[in-house]
Amino acid sequence: MFSDADDIPAEFLSAAEEARDALADKTAEADDELMMKYLEGEPLTQADLEKLLGLAIAQSNVIPVFVGSAVKLQGIEDL
């Protein structure tokens, strides 16, 4: 999905895992088969999440938020 990534600093790892779990919860709601997989305790893979993210957004299960600054040109080109 992203071309470059850094490791998550240790002090933010717990928060990142919680955020990923929350995203998996909401994304799994978009597909009954993957919801059952998730409820049975199987973690959703990155491929599962990427496959369903667009559908979850269309169903308003997930609402993306993008941060940037047009004044400082931060994040605008990526957006």
Side-chain angles (χ1 to χ4, degrees):
M1 187 151 110
F2 295 104
S3 60
D4 59 343
D6 294 328
D7 289 334
I8 298 171
E11 66 265 21
F12 300 118
L13 192 55
S14 176
E17 288 171 353
E18 288 177 23
R20 187 185 190 286
D21 288 343
L23 177 64
D25 273 349
K26 289 299 184 181
T27 303
E29 292 176 11
D31 182 89
D32 291 337
E33 183 179 321
L34 285 178
M35 176 58 100
M36 291 307 298
K37 174 183 170 181
Y38 184 71
L39 290 175
E40 291 171 356
E42 290 185 55
L44 296 179
T45 65
Q46 184 69 26
D48 291 336
L49 290 174
E50 289 177 10
K51 174 182 152 189
L52 288 175
L53 192 55
L55 184 57
I57 291 169
Q59 294 176 356
S60 296
N61 294 346
V62 176
I63 299 172
V65 177
F66 301 97
V67 179
S69 170
V71 174
K72 295 183 180 183
L73 296 177
Q74 295 176 331
I76 301 304
E77 288 181 15
D78 294 330
L79 179 61

